Every structure is written in C-alpha cells, then in structure tokens.
Amino acid sequence: MTDTPASPPLRLFNSLTRRLETFEPVHPGEARVYSCGPTVYNYPHIGNMRAYVFADTLGRTLSFKGYKLTHVINITDVGHLTDDADAGEDKLEKAAAEKAQSIWDIARHYTEAYWADVKALNIRGPMKAGKPEAAHWSIATDYVPQMIEFAKAIADKHCYELDSGLYFDTSTVADYGRLARHATDEGESRIDPVDGKRHPADFAIWRKAPPGETRQMEWDSPWGKGAPGWHLECSVMSEALLGFPFDIHTGGIDHREIHHPNEIAQNQARSCSTDSGARIWMHNNFLVERSGKMSKSAGEFLRLQLLIDKGYHPLAYRLMCLQAHYRSELEFSWEGLGAALTRLKRLVALVEKARILRMAEPSEQGATPEEVFSYIQMGEFESAVCDDLNTPKALTALETILSLKKVPATARLMLVEQMDTVLGLNLREITRTDLRIRPKATTLSEEEIEAILTRRKEARAAKDFATSDKLRDELIAAGVEVMDGDPLGWDWRLEA
Ligand code: AMP
Ligand code: ZN
C-alpha cells in the first residue's frame, strides 16, 4: 500500500494482558496466526461465522500492513465433547449415531457447508479443489500421531492416568487460568467434575474408549485405545504449522474461559516455560439473538443459508459484523440486517457512480492536491483499522472518501479498492443487482417481473394508467416493490 508518512503501528487488544499492545512479529515481516475453527458436527450458525469474519479481518489487516501472512484455521473432527468440559459425548460420534452415518461422512458434509459459508462471506482465499485456500485449514484427525507424541512428552511431569483417560494436572504449570482471570472461580465453576480428577480444572489429554464400546474414531496409544482430548489439537497444530511461539491466536470469547487456558497450560508444559505459545490472544465477542434461534439444538437455527433463503445477500451479514467492533456484543435482528443491506447498496451505488465519472476523467498525472487530501482520509481509515481493528470507524472513512466530490473519481476508486482489501465487501465486483433481495419462497421469477414491468412501461407510454396501476398492484401483491426513478427499478419488499 501507499507509504504515507504517518503510517500508524498496528495495535491489538491482548486478552492475556487485557491491554492494547503494538504488534511486533516473532519473525520480522511475517505474521503467523492461528484461529480456532469449527467443530464439524452440524452447520455453523451465523454467530460462529462472526468469529471467522473477525479472524479474516485480522488477516486482511495484517496483509494490508505489509506482513507476509500465514493463517491456520483448524477443523475439529474429533474430541470436542458436548459440554466443553470432560463429561458428555464426542459431538461427532453423537451426530453420527443420531443420523446413522459414518463419522467421516458427517465431518465431510459439515466441513463443506462451512466452506460454502466462508466463500459466501468473502472470507479470504481463492478456491482450490472446492475449498478456500487463503488460510491453511488443518484437519484435527490428520494430526493424531503428533498429538500422541505431544502427550507422551508431557505425561510424566504434567499428567496422571484415570480409568477414563490421561488428565492434565493444572497445578503443574504456573498461573493456570491467567487468560480467563478465573483465579479459581468463574470459568472453573462451569467444569463438571470427573471422578478422580485432582482438581476441577484438570482436563483430558487422552480419552480412553469406554470398556466394551467401540467408537468409530479410535487410535492406539500408550494409555489404551481412545481419542485425543479436544484442547490438544490446537497446541499440536499451531506448533507444527506456525512454530513456537507464534504471533496471534484467535477464537470466540467463550474460548477465553476453558479451551485457551488449557491450550496455554499444554504449551507451557511442552516448552518447559511460562510462554503461552502466542504473543497475542484475541477474542471476538458473541453475536446474540434473544429468541434462541442460534442454538443448534433448537431445530431451525440461524444459518447463513437461512439469511440467503430469505433474500439477503450474504455480504450484508459481513457488513453487519463490521459495523460493530469485534469486542462488542452484537445483537442480531432482521431489521438490523435489512439496514446493513441498504448501507451496502448505497456503497455499491456510490462505487458504480464513481466508475461512470472516472470514464470522463483524463488519465492521472501525479498526485493532485485533491489526491493528497484523499490520502489523509486513507490515513483515517488506516488509523481506524490499526486501532484494534476499529471497523465501524473504517467504514465511515470509506463512505467519506466515496462521497468526496472534490476528489477525482479515479483516486476515490483507487482508495476504495485498497480499503476493501481490509473490509472484504467485494466492492470491485458486486453490483446493485447482485444485492437485489432474492427470497427463495417467491412466486415470480425475475424474468416474469421484468416482463410485467415492460408491459407497465408500454401502458404508461400509451397513457393507459388503469393498466399501469393494475400491473403495479399485481407486483405489490407478489411482494415486489416498484421503485420508479431508481436505476435498480424494483426489488423485493423486506418482511420485518
Ligand atoms: P464451535 O464450532 O462451536 O467450536 O465454534 C466455532 C467458533 O465460533 C469459536 O471460535 C466460538 O468461540 C465461536 N462462537 C460460538 N458462538 C458464537 C457466537 N454466538 N458469536 C460469535 N462467536 C461464536
Ligand atoms: Zn482451539
């Protein structure tokens, strides 16, 4: 990107210190990021996808700042129990049993559904063999031998064996739970006790298969047949793919309480140090929905596909996420999504207008005073994203640039393109027509609507207003709004 004199340093909120810190990479010029990924036993809900929009925005910002990015996102296809602690069943074994399918089929199906959402939300990466490639997607079951080696390396000093498995003794590492700040209460109170555990916060590194039961996913280990504990995979894959220590570890705020403190404990045990494994730990806050539709157990839940079926372009949801700071809770509502869609349409309309103006402009010759002024706006944008990814402010800077009539359209578009490398709204490609609301349950096709509108135009030209009004009413009854004078012409009405 353009090297402006006032290029600000990137400052990020580190959950470990609860402070804003300047990003200083472990390897100069590089950024290595690990994001806890989906457990593929069901479709991701839109709250889960907020976590990846956040991780993607972080990755895009690091690239924008000139760092060579390596971004790993794991796919959990083993070990995640139904209650995040050490009681309950493996989520994938349970889903496979309920659906009478092989666990591998279940994992493949939901991994592909996740990647479809990733693609729809423009989470970065070219598609390669059907999956998005910007990030490196690591599959937990590909790393089981390494997990066993890791467990063997820490077993003597940090673990103890029970009938149900090998457990990590959290009292063997310094300041366990520092990340969660639960200094013995809060987070730990959520952990169900397992018979024989020395401390409620101790967790399974290896879960032995229950006697007499055969699981679909089982591996031999020094502690008998079984499967790895969920927390192990992230310590193993982050070290294998990013080295130790690496730069940034991300996840949803719930992971700050159990999963990440446990990863840190493992990392400390493995490295015989107090190093947490990542320099900065970042957590996105939750997307909340009051009526409980976000719960995967509640039948129909809020999947991205549901938004698409109701006619919303998925990037409206991305914009909705960017309108809130990642550390703030975001409340989902259909009205809010509708407003985000309208905002996106306005942005796209401004880009389309600037493109038309650009055609009439002479080709650029050096920076004009107006462009210099616009770079100041770029500075505002950059300051916003460098201030712990303040995307709400960055969006405003983008809108300011787009509406600055004094700045040549060529310069405006150039800046918008750079800004969009961070925001990922695909402003270079989407058109207002792409953003047209497209509800699945419509009775008319777009071609039929266009045909009615043509007839209406003819009726109006012939001053046959009765027919024209009748056709308009016909469209209204089918849920179509006719927008006379708007270049888009028509759109489906949004139901609240
Ligand atoms: P899971 O597939 O349940 O392991 O979750 C995947 C990611 O989504 C994790 O980083 C979670 O912390 C995050 N997450 C879960 N629920 C929400 C939510 N409602 N809002 C934002 N992030 C969430
Ligand atoms: Zn993880």
Side-chain angles (χ1 to χ4, degrees), residues 149-161 166-174 198 202-203 205 223 265-274:
E149 286 312 308
F150 189 114
K152 271 160 65 178
I154 63 170
D156 285 351
K157 273 175 88 176
H158 298 278
C159 303
Y160 55 91
E161 208 172 330
L166 182 71
Y167 284 82
F168 190 98
D169 182 342
T170 50
S171 69
T172 63
V173 289
R198 292 180 188 163
D202 293 355
F203 56 91
I205 290 276
W223 315 281
Q266 292 167 161
N267 295 346
Q268 291 177 333
R270 165 80 160 174
S271 63
C272 301
S273 72
T274 53

Side-chain angles (χ1 to χ4, degrees), residues 17-89:
T17 56
R18 301 287 202 270
R19 257 189 256 146
L20 276 175
E21 290 176 14
T22 299
F23 176 68
E24 277 161 16
V26 176
H27 303 272
E30 279 194 49
R32 301 187 186 186
V33 181
Y34 185 92
S35 299
C36 284
T39 306
V40 286
Y41 71 106
N42 203 336
Y43 295 106
H45 56 54
I46 55 171
N48 297 133
M49 296 316 293
R50 184 183 187 199
Y52 309 114
V53 169
F54 152 64
D56 182 52
T57 307
L58 171 68
R60 286 168 173 274
T61 301
L62 289 160
S63 300
F64 175 79
K65 293 294 285 176
Y67 296 104
K68 179 177 167 289
L69 174 72
T70 312
H71 195 164
V72 172
I73 303 181
N74 67 302
I75 303 283
T76 298
D77 57 354
V78 65
H80 197 168
L81 302 190
T82 44
D83 68 354
D84 264 17
D86 288 321
E89 296 168 77

Side-chain angles (χ1 to χ4, degrees), residues 34-37 74 230-231 233-234 249 255 259-260 263:
Y34 185 92
S35 299
C36 284
N74 67 302
W230 171 44
H231 315 293
E233 67 176 78
C234 293
H249 196 311
H255 288 346
H259 181 48
H260 289 168
E263 258 188 81

Side-chain angles (χ1 to χ4, degrees), residues 202-265:
D202 293 355
F203 56 91
I205 290 276
W206 188 262
R207 290 175 300 111
K208 292 183 198 175
E213 268 184 43
T214 306
R215 297 294 176 94
Q216 286 193 44
M217 280 188 178
E218 282 184 351
W219 291 264
D220 286 320
S221 83
W223 315 281
K225 256 196 198 333
W230 171 44
H231 315 293
L232 197 51
E233 67 176 78
C234 293
S235 287
V236 167
M237 293 191 283
S238 60
E239 188 196 356
L241 297 162
L242 300 174
F244 187 98
F246 59 96
D247 295 304
I248 305 173
H249 196 311
T250 80
I253 191 95
D254 53 331
H255 288 346
R256 206 178 65 178
E257 306 304 320
I258 300 175
H259 181 48
H260 289 168
N262 292 354
E263 258 188 81
I264 291 173

Side-chain angles (χ1 to χ4, degrees), residues 13 15 18 50-51 54 84 179-180 186 190 250-261 282-288 326-329:
F13 186 83
S15 298
R18 301 287 202 270
R50 184 183 187 199
F54 152 64
D84 264 17
L179 175 69
E186 213 199 316
R190 288 176 44 203
T250 80
I253 191 95
D254 53 331
H255 288 346
R256 206 178 65 178
E257 306 304 320
I258 300 175
H259 181 48
H260 289 168
M282 294 177 76
H283 295 97
N284 64 277
N285 211 323
F286 266 30
L287 178 84
V288 292
Y326 76 89
R327 282 197 286 125
S328 309
E329 208 174 70

